[in-house]
Amino acid sequence: MLRYTVRRLGQLLIVTVVLSVLLFGWLRALPGGPVSALLGERATEESRARLVEQLGLDQPLYVQYWKFVQRAITGDFGVSTGVQPGTPAMEVFLQRMPATLELSVLALLLAVAVGIPLGYFAARRQGGWLDNLSITWSLIGVAVPVFFLAFLLKYVFAIEFGVLPASGRQAAGIDATHATGFFVLDGLLTTEWDAAWNALVHLLLPAIALSTIPFAVIFRLTRASVLDVVEEDYVRTARSKGLGAMVVRGRHILRNAMLPVVTTIGLQTGALLSGAVLTEQVFNIPGIGQALSLGFQRQDYAVLQVVILATAMVYVLVNLLVDLAYAAIDPRLRTR
């Protein structure tokens, strides 16, 4: 297991280097470049030349890249010029990251908590009403765009019926302590139950909208995996040995059916982070998705750098954890 982990960490390092190179080259190829973003379109040639020299943009690309890596390691990505002018880009990211993580974790929990059990029971009752209804529901979840579903949920439950909040992370009148930036967690840690509940209620609509695509993928893959596994010889052998139904279902069917599902859950992290851009805009959640959108609109290259690189790193780390979980479920992988 240790050797398997070391190999995966080596691959993680290579992926990180490639990501940094792509990000470095892509941002410098964007129209206008960092100089226009900092000085504006009406800047004089003299001021542009001074800033180019100050930023080291007149140096060879490999020198610029090495300085970029050095600054990235220390967390120095420059100062925001559009999202939160005058604020260090890393600080902007750290302020907004908890909102996106809180939303994404709840959306993934909803998708897993509903998708896996529903996929299993739909497979056990293949062709029944539960199976047909679940398949239809999952198709709708994939077909309906996240932003449209977000607007629909907001209109029905927040505007028409008024049972859930329409935007934000917490009600304005709530006097809560925000030590970590995770509003639900902060409320639980400080035993401010009203604040924790209020923050959770604000998360419900955006989390449901964001979870629809991961739910559909997890449900359909769980259903297909269970249908494949129940026909395997080792399942029939386990039953012929007189093992209890719970043992057969848990140890022989579900455990083996979960192998592709675990991988898919890791891959859905990227979908959640990309879907958060639209969801945060609809529900006015000040997360990194909203920061990314504003960064593109206002050409805030400092914020774009840290958000894109950090988001990619989160995605890579989650997939590393998925690989380790995969190896824990299937011991055969550790010997390869």
Side-chain angles (χ1 to χ4, degrees):
M1 188 68 176
L2 178 61
R3 191 162 52 184
Y4 179 84
T5 305
V6 171
R7 282 205 309 270
R8 286 292 180 268
L9 287 173
Q11 294 171 358
L12 172 65
L13 181 62
I14 295 172
V15 171
T16 304
V17 172
V18 173
L19 283 172
S20 66
V21 171
L22 291 175
L23 177 62
F24 173 81
W26 176 66
L27 286 175
R28 277 152 183 76
L30 288 175
V35 175
S36 295
L38 291 170
L39 297 180
E41 297 180 357
R42 298 183 180 181
T44 63
E45 289 299 324
E46 292 78 7
S47 60
R48 285 177 177 274
R50 254 194 326 269
L51 188 58
V52 165
E53 185 178 355
Q54 181 181 344
L55 296 177
L57 298 177
D58 56 342
Q59 298 177 349
L61 282 178
Y62 68 89
V63 176
Q64 294 183 46
Y65 173 72
W66 178 243
K67 289 184 177 180
F68 165 75
V69 171
Q70 288 178 317
R71 290 195 300 270
I73 292 173
T74 61
D76 179 15
F77 288 88
V79 177
S80 172
T81 58
V83 179
Q84 291 177 219
T87 306
M90 178 57 77
E91 187 177 330
V92 173
F93 173 76
L94 293 177
Q95 288 173 357
R96 291 171 172 266
M97 177 188 64
T100 300
L101 286 183
E102 206 169 40
L103 173 60
S104 299
V105 168
L106 181 57
L108 188 60
L109 286 176
L110 288 174
V112 171
V114 179
I116 291 178
L118 196 59
Y120 174 75
F121 287 114
R124 286 191 59 195
R125 295 164 176 79
Q126 185 182 12
W129 67 269
L130 178 63
D131 188 27
N132 294 327
L133 183 64
S134 301
I135 290 174
T136 304
W137 185 14
S138 67
L139 286 174
I140 293 173
V142 172
V144 178
V146 172
F147 71 90
F148 175 75
L149 182 60
F151 277 119
L152 186 63
L153 290 172
K154 183 176 180 178
Y155 176 76
V156 173
F157 293 100
I159 298 174
E160 280 295 311
F161 294 105
V163 293
L164 290 171
S167 63
R169 299 185 64 194
Q170 208 166 46
I174 297 290
D175 185 17
T177 304
H178 299 147
T180 66
F182 297 91
F183 285 10
V184 176
L185 180 61
D186 288 336
L188 296 175
L189 291 176
T190 57
T191 65
E192 296 173 343
W193 310 119
D194 289 342
W197 175 251
N198 188 265
L200 182 61
V201 168
H202 275 75
L203 281 173
L204 281 179
L205 286 182
I208 291 171
L210 192 57
S211 67
T212 51
I213 293 178
F215 155 75
V217 174
I218 291 170
F219 160 76
R220 294 181 72 85
L221 189 57
T222 301
R223 178 183 177 276
S225 297
V226 170
L227 288 174
D228 287 340
V229 169
V230 293
E231 300 298 329
E232 293 291 341
D233 292 336
Y234 57 80
V235 175
R236 286 194 291 268
T237 302
R239 284 172 175 157
S240 66
K241 287 181 177 180
L243 294 178
M246 294 298 293
V247 175
V248 174
R249 293 170 188 169
R251 186 180 301 174
H252 296 279
I253 296 178
L254 263 180
R255 181 171 181 175
N256 289 286
M258 284 301 100
L259 292 175
V261 178
V262 168
T263 303
T264 301
I265 290 172
L267 295 175
Q268 289 306 305
T269 306
L272 288 172
L273 293 174
S274 60
V277 176
L278 298 173
T279 309
E280 288 177 2
Q281 290 289 92
V282 174
F283 291 98
N284 193 28
I285 297 174
I288 58 175
Q290 189 185 71
L292 189 64
S293 177
L294 291 173
F296 278 111
Q297 292 173 23
R298 302 173 184 177
Q299 295 186 334
D300 194 336
Y301 292 99
V303 170
L304 287 176
Q305 284 184 116
V306 65
V307 169
I308 293 173
L309 187 59
T311 302
M313 286 300 301
V314 168
Y315 182 67
V316 170
L317 286 172
V318 168
N319 279 275
L320 172 64
L321 295 176
V322 168
D323 285 342
L324 297 179
Y326 204 102
I329 296 173
D330 188 355
R332 294 172 298 176
L333 292 176
R334 307 174 204 167
T335 60
R336 294 179 185 173

